[in-house]
PDB file of all heavy atoms in Angstrom:
ATOM      1  N   HIS A 139     -18.489  -3.245 -11.292  1.00 94.00           N
ATOM      2  CA  HIS A 139     -18.219  -2.897 -12.725  1.00 94.00           C
ATOM      3  C   HIS A 139     -19.122  -3.647 -13.648  1.00 94.00           C
ATOM      4  O   HIS A 139     -19.620  -3.088 -14.675  1.00 94.00           O
ATOM      5  CB  HIS A 139     -16.750  -3.326 -13.016  1.00 94.00           C
ATOM      6  CG  HIS A 139     -15.654  -2.565 -12.249  1.00 94.00           C
ATOM      7  ND1 HIS A 139     -14.302  -2.828 -12.409  1.00 94.00           N
ATOM      8  CD2 HIS A 139     -15.856  -1.517 -11.431  1.00 94.00           C
ATOM      9  CE1 HIS A 139     -13.672  -1.952 -11.635  1.00 94.00           C
ATOM     10  NE2 HIS A 139     -14.547  -1.166 -11.059  1.00 94.00           N
ATOM     11  N   ASN A 140     -19.453  -4.882 -13.399  1.00 95.00           N
ATOM     12  CA  ASN A 140     -20.305  -5.744 -14.199  1.00 95.00           C
ATOM     13  C   ASN A 140     -21.668  -5.148 -14.227  1.00 95.00           C
ATOM     14  O   ASN A 140     -22.329  -5.117 -15.363  1.00 95.00           O
ATOM     15  CB  ASN A 140     -20.302  -7.187 -13.781  1.00 95.00           C
ATOM     16  CG  ASN A 140     -19.033  -7.905 -14.030  1.00 95.00           C
ATOM     17  OD1 ASN A 140     -18.215  -7.500 -14.922  1.00 95.00           O
ATOM     18  ND2 ASN A 140     -18.719  -8.922 -13.284  1.00 95.00           N
ATOM     19  N   ILE A 141     -22.216  -4.698 -13.123  1.00 96.00           N
ATOM     20  CA  ILE A 141     -23.610  -4.145 -13.097  1.00 96.00           C
ATOM     21  C   ILE A 141     -23.592  -2.843 -13.884  1.00 96.00           C
ATOM     22  O   ILE A 141     -24.480  -2.564 -14.620  1.00 96.00           O
ATOM     23  CB  ILE A 141     -24.099  -3.981 -11.640  1.00 96.00           C
ATOM     24  CG1 ILE A 141     -24.356  -5.333 -10.938  1.00 96.00           C
ATOM     25  CG2 ILE A 141     -25.420  -3.142 -11.647  1.00 96.00           C
ATOM     26  CD1 ILE A 141     -24.662  -5.336  -9.510  1.00 96.00           C
ATOM     27  N   LEU A 142     -22.529  -2.033 -13.574  1.00 96.00           N
ATOM     28  CA  LEU A 142     -22.495  -0.735 -14.320  1.00 96.00           C
ATOM     29  C   LEU A 142     -22.429  -0.881 -15.793  1.00 96.00           C
ATOM     30  O   LEU A 142     -23.218  -0.326 -16.502  1.00 96.00           O
ATOM     31  CB  LEU A 142     -21.293   0.024 -13.821  1.00 96.00           C
ATOM     32  CG  LEU A 142     -20.900   1.345 -14.601  1.00 96.00           C
ATOM     33  CD1 LEU A 142     -22.070   2.341 -14.489  1.00 96.00           C
ATOM     34  CD2 LEU A 142     -19.623   1.892 -14.151  1.00 96.00           C
ATOM     35  N   VAL A 143     -21.589  -1.890 -16.266  1.00 97.00           N
ATOM     36  CA  VAL A 143     -21.418  -2.060 -17.685  1.00 97.00           C
ATOM     37  C   VAL A 143     -22.804  -2.602 -18.259  1.00 97.00           C
ATOM     38  O   VAL A 143     -23.216  -2.188 -19.392  1.00 97.00           O
ATOM     39  CB  VAL A 143     -20.323  -2.963 -18.056  1.00 97.00           C
ATOM     40  CG1 VAL A 143     -20.331  -3.420 -19.493  1.00 97.00           C
ATOM     41  CG2 VAL A 143     -18.995  -2.291 -17.698  1.00 97.00           C
ATOM     42  N   SER A 144     -23.453  -3.479 -17.537  1.00 97.00           N
ATOM     43  CA  SER A 144     -24.751  -4.003 -18.094  1.00 97.00           C
ATOM     44  C   SER A 144     -25.792  -2.857 -18.213  1.00 97.00           C
ATOM     45  O   SER A 144     -26.615  -2.945 -19.151  1.00 97.00           O
ATOM     46  CB  SER A 144     -25.213  -5.104 -17.067  1.00 97.00           C
ATOM     47  OG  SER A 144     -25.632  -4.601 -15.817  1.00 97.00           O
ATOM     48  N   ILE A 145     -25.770  -1.974 -17.294  1.00 97.00           N
ATOM     49  CA  ILE A 145     -26.700  -0.757 -17.386  1.00 97.00           C
ATOM     50  C   ILE A 145     -26.344   0.014 -18.595  1.00 97.00           C
ATOM     51  O   ILE A 145     -27.250   0.427 -19.444  1.00 97.00           O
ATOM     52  CB  ILE A 145     -26.677   0.046 -16.067  1.00 97.00           C
ATOM     53  CG1 ILE A 145     -27.309  -0.783 -14.893  1.00 97.00           C
ATOM     54  CG2 ILE A 145     -27.498   1.331 -16.312  1.00 97.00           C
ATOM     55  CD1 ILE A 145     -26.996  -0.094 -13.600  1.00 97.00           C
ATOM     56  N   ILE A 146     -25.073   0.337 -18.802  1.00 97.00           N
ATOM     57  CA  ILE A 146     -24.608   1.075 -19.984  1.00 97.00           C
ATOM     58  C   ILE A 146     -24.993   0.458 -21.245  1.00 97.00           C
ATOM     59  O   ILE A 146     -25.405   1.123 -22.188  1.00 97.00           O
ATOM     60  CB  ILE A 146     -23.111   1.399 -19.789  1.00 97.00           C
ATOM     61  CG1 ILE A 146     -22.764   2.295 -18.670  1.00 97.00           C
ATOM     62  CG2 ILE A 146     -22.587   2.028 -21.127  1.00 97.00           C
ATOM     63  CD1 ILE A 146     -21.366   2.487 -18.314  1.00 97.00           C
ATOM     64  N   LYS A 147     -24.850  -0.886 -21.311  1.00 97.00           N
ATOM     65  CA  LYS A 147     -25.056  -1.617 -22.573  1.00 97.00           C
ATOM     66  C   LYS A 147     -26.547  -1.507 -23.030  1.00 97.00           C
ATOM     67  O   LYS A 147     -26.817  -1.720 -24.155  1.00 97.00           O
ATOM     68  CB  LYS A 147     -24.709  -3.111 -22.372  1.00 97.00           C
ATOM     69  CG  LYS A 147     -23.230  -3.339 -22.506  1.00 97.00           C
ATOM     70  CD  LYS A 147     -22.927  -4.831 -22.400  1.00 97.00           C
ATOM     71  CE  LYS A 147     -21.541  -5.175 -22.607  1.00 97.00           C
ATOM     72  NZ  LYS A 147     -21.313  -6.630 -22.582  1.00 97.00           N
ATOM     73  N   ILE A 148     -27.417  -1.228 -22.081  1.00 96.00           N
ATOM     74  CA  ILE A 148     -28.856  -1.045 -22.462  1.00 96.00           C
ATOM     75  C   ILE A 148     -28.964   0.039 -23.518  1.00 96.00           C
ATOM     76  O   ILE A 148     -29.765  -0.035 -24.430  1.00 96.00           O
ATOM     77  CB  ILE A 148     -29.722  -0.743 -21.266  1.00 96.00           C
ATOM     78  CG1 ILE A 148     -29.768  -1.929 -20.343  1.00 96.00           C
ATOM     79  CG2 ILE A 148     -31.153  -0.360 -21.665  1.00 96.00           C
ATOM     80  CD1 ILE A 148     -30.335  -1.679 -18.920  1.00 96.00           C
ATOM     81  N   LYS A 149     -28.181   1.154 -23.408  1.00 96.00           N
ATOM     82  CA  LYS A 149     -28.270   2.263 -24.314  1.00 96.00           C
ATOM     83  C   LYS A 149     -27.114   2.333 -25.336  1.00 96.00           C
ATOM     84  O   LYS A 149     -27.246   2.994 -26.363  1.00 96.00           O
ATOM     85  CB  LYS A 149     -28.337   3.581 -23.530  1.00 96.00           C
ATOM     86  CG  LYS A 149     -29.604   3.729 -22.676  1.00 96.00           C
ATOM     87  CD  LYS A 149     -29.738   5.051 -22.002  1.00 96.00           C
ATOM     88  CE  LYS A 149     -30.912   5.168 -21.136  1.00 96.00           C
ATOM     89  NZ  LYS A 149     -32.185   5.265 -21.929  1.00 96.00           N
ATOM     90  N   ILE A 150     -25.995   1.806 -24.950  1.00 96.00           N
ATOM     91  CA  ILE A 150     -24.772   1.880 -25.834  1.00 96.00           C
ATOM     92  C   ILE A 150     -24.452   0.524 -26.396  1.00 96.00           C
ATOM     93  O   ILE A 150     -24.078  -0.390 -25.659  1.00 96.00           O
ATOM     94  CB  ILE A 150     -23.524   2.431 -24.983  1.00 96.00           C
ATOM     95  CG1 ILE A 150     -23.826   3.753 -24.295  1.00 96.00           C
ATOM     96  CG2 ILE A 150     -22.299   2.510 -25.861  1.00 96.00           C
ATOM     97  CD1 ILE A 150     -24.082   4.902 -25.219  1.00 96.00           C
ATOM     98  N   LYS A 151     -24.556   0.388 -27.737  1.00 95.00           N
ATOM     99  CA  LYS A 151     -24.302  -0.881 -28.362  1.00 95.00           C
ATOM    100  C   LYS A 151     -22.980  -0.998 -28.984  1.00 95.00           C
ATOM    101  O   LYS A 151     -22.473  -2.107 -29.361  1.00 95.00           O
ATOM    102  CB  LYS A 151     -25.405  -1.067 -29.462  1.00 95.00           C
ATOM    103  CG  LYS A 151     -26.857  -0.929 -28.900  1.00 95.00           C
ATOM    104  CD  LYS A 151     -27.098  -1.995 -27.893  1.00 95.00           C
ATOM    105  CE  LYS A 151     -28.586  -1.778 -27.395  1.00 95.00           C
ATOM    106  NZ  LYS A 151     -28.919  -2.734 -26.280  1.00 95.00           N
ATOM    107  N   ASP A 152     -22.299   0.182 -29.152  1.00 96.00           N
ATOM    108  CA  ASP A 152     -20.927   0.083 -29.779  1.00 96.00           C
ATOM    109  C   ASP A 152     -19.938  -0.549 -28.917  1.00 96.00           C
ATOM    110  O   ASP A 152     -19.576  -0.132 -27.762  1.00 96.00           O
ATOM    111  CB  ASP A 152     -20.509   1.632 -30.042  1.00 96.00           C
ATOM    112  CG  ASP A 152     -19.306   1.697 -30.936  1.00 96.00           C
ATOM    113  OD1 ASP A 152     -18.295   1.014 -30.651  1.00 96.00           O
ATOM    114  OD2 ASP A 152     -19.316   2.453 -31.880  1.00 96.00           O
TER     115      ASP A 152
END
Side-chain angles (χ1 to χ4, degrees):
H139 295 178
N140 288 336
I141 292 174
L142 174 61
V143 171
S144 69
I145 294 169
I146 291 170
K147 279 183 173 180
I148 295 170
K149 294 183 182 293
I150 303 296
K151 306 301 181 184
D152 190 312

